[in-house]
Amino acid sequence: MAKEFIYEEEKYQIDCSKSVTSAGDMDPATKTILVDKDLPEKFHEGIAVHEIEERKYLLKGHSYVYSHNEAQKKELEFYEQKYGKDKSLEVLKEEEAVVLTITRRHSTPKKNKILKAEEEIPEVSLNSPAIEMRTIQQAAFEGKRYIIDHDERLVGTLVDVYEKGNIIYIDRDVPERFFEGLALSELITRKFLRKGLGWSAAYVEGDKAEKDYYIVKYGAVEGEELYNDELKFQAWKFEQEKKELKEEGGHKVIYEKDEILPK
């Protein structure tokens, strides 16, 4: 059963009845915050604040990493009001530890399904979107050019888009062969976020566009293999990230360490 939550004089509903791969999500049309069913109730309102604030910045064209950090600041402020300044950081750290066990940008296939030539070729939309990589430093998509920044270490994602600055960030450890697919997936995901979809639904659209693109460009067999290889890389990268955050006592912050929170 959904619970009413009032934030900045706006009424929202918090629904924690289902699994949410990103731990938290939002349906702007119904003002419903989706919280993973395994997250303790003490974190539900903090996650709600985070999702509300994060979307505000994303819709203004900011990158996910910037939006996430700004939302995290607001979430910490919320916990300070609810639990007091001395306990707020402790609660947020506890929340992060739980969230790290839930979140994953993509699901990972249990095995690599290799398509044979005589097997049915996956249906691909003839109108599937296309992305054009002009050089390793630039990409063109729907009449707009982006600079590819491959120098940063991203946390919580492998790819990010800064619409206001026309920049696509790709984690510095990502192999070049995944650049096109990741960039396209994120651009399509943002497109559907702007249309009012939640993260989960927008990711589905981004994933489909990416897979269709690989199959159209490389063929059914190679396209499927490339897509699955990318998922395996993502799973490995995120496991390493979780391990590092736990061992180093860090937080899910982006770029500069301690940007938001002290160790």
Side-chain angles (χ1 to χ4, degrees), residues 124-130 208-209 212-213 216:
V124 176
S125 171
L126 295 177
N127 296 318
S128 59
K208 182 181 183 303
D212 284 356
Y213 174 75
V216 168

Side-chain angles (χ1 to χ4, degrees), residues 23-35:
D25 202 349
M26 181 178 179
D27 180 352
T30 61
K31 290 189 176 181
T32 300
I33 312 299
L34 306 174
V35 178

Side-chain angles (χ1 to χ4, degrees), residues 26-176:
M26 181 178 179
D27 180 352
T30 61
K31 290 189 176 181
T32 300
I33 312 299
L34 306 174
V35 178
D36 189 88
K37 61 184 180 60
D38 292 329
L39 275 173
E41 186 176 356
K42 66 186 290 187
F43 305 134
H44 290 183
E45 292 184 345
I47 293 291
V49 170
H50 189 106
E51 293 301 317
I52 294 167
E53 292 290 346
E54 185 175 84
R55 183 168 287 264
K56 289 180 184 178
Y57 288 98
L58 285 169
L59 294 182
K60 290 178 181 177
H62 290 289
S63 65
Y64 162 74
V65 294
Y66 179 85
S67 303
H68 173 84
N69 283 349
E70 294 303 305
Q72 189 135 324
K73 293 175 186 177
K74 291 290 187 177
E75 185 177 2
L76 183 59
E77 290 177 5
F78 176 79
Y79 280 148
E80 286 179 356
Q81 295 173 3
K82 188 168 184 177
Y83 297 106
K85 194 164 186 177
D86 293 338
K87 292 185 178 180
S88 58
L89 181 57
E90 181 181 334
V91 174
L92 186 56
K93 288 169 66 176
E94 185 183 347
E95 177 199 297
E96 287 179 332
V98 177
V99 167
L100 282 173
T101 67
I102 296 172
T103 55
R104 177 166 293 174
R105 182 174 181 272
H106 291 292
S107 59
T108 309
K110 294 182 180 179
K111 60 181 179 179
N112 189 9
K113 297 180 180 179
I114 305 298
L115 295 177
K116 297 179 182 178
E118 63 267 24
E119 290 180 335
E120 182 180 357
I121 296 176
E123 182 179 349
V124 176
S125 171
L126 295 177
N127 296 318
S128 59
I131 184 169
E132 178 187 351
M133 300 295 286
R134 296 183 182 276
T135 70
I136 198 61
Q137 299 297 330
Q138 294 185 33
F141 176 73
E142 294 188 344
K144 189 174 181 180
R145 293 191 182 189
Y146 296 85
I147 297 297
I148 304 295
D149 186 333
H150 185 44
D151 297 326
E152 304 287 355
R153 178 179 182 270
L154 307 187
V155 178
T157 186
L158 292 183
V159 59
D160 198 359
V161 177
Y162 176 31
E163 292 282 359
K164 292 170 71 69
N166 291 4
I167 300 172
I168 297 174
Y169 293 104
I170 297 179
D171 185 271
R172 64 192 182 197
D173 292 333
V174 173
E176 184 179 329

